[in-house]
Amino acid sequence: MLLQVSKSSWHIYGHHARRSFFQLSKRDKGKWEIITAAGKVSNERSVPKHIQKPPYYYTPQPPGNTNGSPEIKNDEQVNYMRSSGKLAAQILQECGKMAKVGVTTDEIDSYAHERILSLNAYPSPLRYAGFPKSLCTSVNNVACHGIPDDRPLFDGDIINIDVTVYQNGYHGDCSETFLIGDVDERGRFLVNCTRECLNKCIELCGPGVPFKEIGKYIQRYCEEHQLESVSAFIGHGIGSYFHGPPEIYHYDNEVPGKMQAGMTFTIEPILSLGGGEIGILEDGWTAITLDNSRSAQFEHTILITDTGAEILTKEG
């Protein structure tokens, strides 16, 4: 997922306090642990020589360019995308089963790293634009790009785990928000709504459909459910590149362009119980809601087919 300057204002934002059980959002009335600073991040994990690696592993590069015309993939490319997408979905569900009270996000990252390597694939986030870990773990009021660290999961947390794998030269990208222990009613409402919102967006997709219809639907859904889209982050094209065109906006927009068979891209709305504005912690990655309200995210990589859309990151 890419950060983009949109209708939401965003600021560099950081605190030194590690834990707090108070919340500021007027709409998010629940009780949970607010994340205000990153924890201790372990050293980079090694990747064996025989694993195929993306170019940014060897040479530091900025995030991919999402401008331009979306790629139309041929049958061979689509098959590679299906394989990497299926693997990403498998790893995501395995990580979700690990996500329990007392488990640290670094432990989840360690498992994912070794598991992906064991299947002869590469964990795409590692070294991408300098990211230090093999997946993203975003807890409670962390909207996205949370760096796995030594913080254990607490009863009542919600956690988004974002998995991308690079296999046979192609990336597969997906995420899901998991409930930890006894999550309050508002937290469960948020997670269920965000899942439903993504599924409805995918149902809209097919050849000839304007990309903007995704954002327009998300905007309506949020208004109907008194939620807010964290619109600073966008979905993106994906293939042999981690991020490319098209850009998928998660709010009402008039960006031109229509879906065509053979396109592959992600849809990944982040919905918040409070405001949609975010700030970045001092680690340069962790994006938190400015009002400390909880957010949830779900993501799939999809393929536009002749008749609709195929979810490439669906397990099984």
Side-chain angles (χ1 to χ4, degrees):
M1 177 191 303
L2 295 180
L3 174 68
Q4 55 101 30
V5 180
S6 69
K7 68 170 186 177
S8 288
S9 60
W10 63 281
H11 314 274
I12 300 300
Y13 178 79
H15 292 292
H16 297 292
R18 178 67 195 282
R19 298 179 61 183
S20 172
F21 284 93
F22 298 97
Q23 51 88 20
L24 303 177
S25 170
K26 293 181 180 180
R27 282 191 284 178
D28 193 351
K29 302 292 186 180
K31 182 178 180 181
W32 69 96
E33 183 180 270
I34 294 173
I35 306 299
T36 56
K40 182 179 180 181
V41 178
S42 61
N43 294 331
E44 180 182 288
R45 296 186 166 91
S46 62
V47 180
K49 290 183 178 180
H50 72 275
I51 297 294
Q52 182 183 9
K53 305 172 184 68
Y56 55 80
Y57 179 85
Y58 301 100
T59 305
Q61 298 178 11
N65 185 359
T66 54
N67 296 317
S69 299
E71 178 183 35
I72 305 298
K73 293 179 173 62
N74 60 36
D75 290 344
E76 182 181 26
Q77 291 173 307
V78 167
N79 285 333
Y80 282 133
M81 291 291 296
R82 287 193 177 107
S83 179
S84 61
K86 183 177 180 180
L87 178 58
Q90 175 188 333
I91 299 298
L92 176 59
Q93 294 308 311
E94 291 178 9
C95 289
K97 292 176 182 177
M98 278 193 69
K100 297 180 179 180
V101 174
V103 175
T104 68
T105 52
D106 186 66
E107 289 174 321
I108 298 173
D109 180 83
S110 177
Y111 172 83
H113 182 89
E114 297 302 330
R115 180 70 168 135
I116 292 168
L117 296 180
S118 74
L119 296 169
N120 292 314
Y122 178 85
S124 301
L126 185 64
R127 295 194 181 184
Y128 183 74
F131 193 79
K133 288 296 170 185
S134 296
L135 47 71
C136 297
T137 51
S138 302
V139 179
N140 294 341
N141 58 304
V142 177
C144 68
H145 295 167
I147 299 174
D149 59 23
D150 64 341
R151 179 193 182 275
L153 295 171
F154 288 89
D155 185 53
D157 281 348
I158 61 174
I159 177 174
N160 176 268
I161 301 176
D162 193 331
V163 173
T164 311
V165 303
Y166 182 71
Q167 181 190 55
N168 297 319
Y170 287 82
H171 298 272
D173 187 3
C174 55
S175 83
E176 181 172 339
T177 300
F178 297 93
L179 306 176
I180 307 301
D182 185 18
V183 175
D184 67 1
E185 182 179 357
R186 289 294 286 166
R188 295 193 305 272
F189 171 79
L190 171 66
V191 171
N192 289 335
C193 283
T194 310
R195 181 191 293 108
E196 179 182 58
C197 184
L198 171 61
N199 291 337
K200 294 293 186 181
C201 286
I202 295 171
E203 291 176 6
L204 293 173
C205 294
V209 176
F211 295 116
K212 65 184 180 182
E213 292 302 318
I214 294 172
K216 289 180 179 294
Y217 177 80
I218 293 172
Q219 188 83 30
R220 292 195 303 270
Y221 187 93
C222 287
E223 290 172 357
E224 291 170 0
H225 293 81
Q226 295 187 314
L227 298 168
E228 186 77 18
S229 175
V230 179
S231 56
F233 296 95
I234 62 176
H236 53 85
I238 187 170
S240 59
Y241 43 89
F242 198 162
H243 296 100
E247 295 181 338
I248 305 298
Y249 294 86
H250 300 123
Y251 60 91
D252 193 357
N253 68 91
E254 295 297 332
V255 175
K258 294 183 178 181
M259 303 172 197
Q260 297 179 46
M263 290 182 177
T264 55
F265 54 86
T266 69
I267 306 175
E268 43 190 300
I270 305 174
L271 304 188
S272 167
L273 285 169
E277 291 76 22
I278 58 97
I280 309 297
L281 293 184
E282 294 171 359
D283 59 21
W285 283 101
T286 305
I288 65 172
T289 56
L290 287 184
D291 65 357
N292 290 325
S293 59
R294 286 171 293 180
S295 64
Q297 181 185 27
F298 284 78
E299 173 187 12
H300 275 306
T301 298
I302 69 168
L303 164 71
I304 301 302
T305 68
D306 291 332
T307 58
E310 176 185 341
I311 299 174
L312 299 179
T313 45
K314 196 170 185 178
E315 190 180 21

